[in-house]
Amino acid sequence: MGSMRIPNPNLARNYTIYSIAELCEALDVHYHTVRKWVRMGLTPIDGGWKMYFRGEDVRAFLIAQRQRTKRPCPPGTIYCIPCQEPKVPAGGMVEYRPLTPRRGMLRGICPTCERLIHRTTGPAQVEALIATFVATRIEG
């Protein structure tokens, strides 16, 4: 408990009614987190002192929260975690390292904080991304 994360929505089961304590246990979150979600828009079944929630409502709320926090990277950028924004790699240079036959890793250097930035990609996007960057392929 206590980590800054949005719980997995699939842990809330459809056709199940949860009390706050049961919801806390199912999602491994604190009681105050659920109360905060109610203030943010999670609707209980009734407005009584003991609140109960439908699993499908909890799932929809958590999915909406995840969508709200997503930040897709524009083409030609890689997300830098320390800077918390998409960046064009320094010099436009990246290296591509295949991980599996279907996935690979683009790696570059953030121009602001000079740390490594990574982007996992599939073979369909690799050629388009490599055309955008000055790329080096590493086999192995």
Side-chain angles (χ1 to χ4, degrees):
M1 274 202 279
S3 64
M4 297 287 290
R5 63 174 172 78
I6 296 172
N8 183 353
N10 296 326
L11 296 175
R13 291 157 65 217
N14 287 338
Y15 310 112
T16 303
I17 304 295
Y18 293 99
S19 68
I20 291 180
E22 293 167 340
L23 192 58
C24 291
E25 186 176 330
L27 299 176
D28 191 29
V29 295
H30 195 272
Y31 170 84
H32 295 297
T33 301
V34 176
R35 300 293 289 190
K36 181 176 119 186
W37 290 345
V38 171
R39 288 191 304 272
M40 292 171 66
L42 177 61
T43 53
I45 293 172
D46 57 353
W49 190 73
K50 279 194 151 207
M51 290 188 224
Y52 292 94
F53 305 91
R54 286 189 195 98
E56 49 270 10
D57 293 343
V58 173
R59 182 179 285 201
F61 175 78
L62 293 176
I63 289 171
Q65 289 299 102
R66 281 190 173 190
Q67 291 301 321
R68 187 181 60 81
T69 59
K70 284 194 174 195
R71 295 185 188 132
C73 287
T77 61
I78 299 175
Y79 191 79
C80 178
I81 295 172
C83 296
Q84 296 185 352
E85 61 183 319
K87 300 282 186 161
V88 175
M93 297 188 309
V94 295
E95 69 179 31
Y96 175 73
R97 182 178 306 255
L99 301 173
T100 68
R102 300 187 56 137
R103 305 297 290 165
M105 179 74 71
L106 285 175
R107 187 166 67 179
I109 297 175
C110 175
T112 306
C113 66
E114 298 181 353
R115 295 184 183 174
L116 285 177
I117 51 179
H118 305 273
R119 181 172 178 174
T120 305
T121 186
Q125 300 106 4
V126 169
E127 296 308 319
L129 290 169
I130 286 178
T132 306
F133 300 120
V134 176
T136 305
R137 267 187 206 269
I138 297 177
E139 300 300 325

